[in-house]
Amino acid sequence: MTSLEYVRAEDQLPAGGEAPGGALRLAPLVGTWYATDQEALGIVRLELHDSDGALLVRAFGADVTEPYDWGEVSGTPYGHGVTAVEAMAFSAIYDFGFLITILSAYLIQGMLVLDTFNTFTDSSGRSNYFTREFFHR
């Protein structure tokens, strides 16, 4: 197999540019984020933590009496490009056994936009589905 260094122009460092090295700063993401929709049926709260440079994600799903704590998982932070030093997006995966949910979120104009990709792994016959939700601090 051929070894590639990039598959599109944006994967390359700009002429004369250097990779910043090190982990992305997580500060722009860290904090508690609340769904803008008070009647949300999906995720109602996200808690994002910096644990010695590692991003930890805790999601809370809508439930009748109080939000359902999904537990904490590792997140993968992303910058705006190959020379970024601050995180502006993340992804995380929850495996519930019967359902795998991929979280993919990004910051825009002070809000966090969260997309979820939900795949059922049981024999329930439920369709896989996508959601988009908006969060504020």
Side-chain angles (χ1 to χ4, degrees):
M1 179 172 195
T2 304
S3 176
L4 299 175
E5 292 184 21
Y6 65 91
V7 293
R8 56 191 167 196
E10 65 189 349
D11 294 342
Q12 300 177 71
L13 289 168
E18 291 186 29
L24 292 167
R25 287 196 298 265
L26 302 176
L29 295 173
V30 169
T32 301
W33 296 86
Y34 300 93
T36 58
D37 180 356
Q38 297 290 325
E39 298 177 21
L41 298 176
I43 295 173
V44 296
R45 186 170 83 228
L46 288 168
E47 295 177 358
L48 306 178
H49 301 281
D50 181 342
S51 177
D52 295 323
L55 180 64
L56 297 179
V57 177
R58 181 176 294 274
F60 294 82
D63 202 0
V64 176
T65 56
E66 63 182 65
Y68 181 82
D69 185 350
W70 289 13
E72 195 168 71
V73 296
S74 295
T76 302
Y78 303 94
H80 71 278
V82 297
T83 59
V85 294
E86 287 193 328
M88 55 78 61
F90 75 91
S91 64
I93 300 173
Y94 280 93
D95 185 345
F96 298 106
F98 73 99
L99 170 71
I100 296 173
T101 297
I102 299 171
L103 306 181
S104 177
Y106 60 95
L107 292 171
I108 186 165
Q109 297 180 355
M111 294 186 68
L112 186 71
V113 180
L114 173 69
D115 293 341
T116 67
F117 301 85
N118 304 278
T119 304
F120 288 98
T121 57
D122 60 6
S123 58
S124 66
R126 292 175 280 185
S127 296
N128 300 333
Y129 67 98
F130 163 85
T131 67
R132 175 165 289 150
E133 299 166 290
F134 300 88
F135 292 79
H136 66 90
R137 289 190 218 226

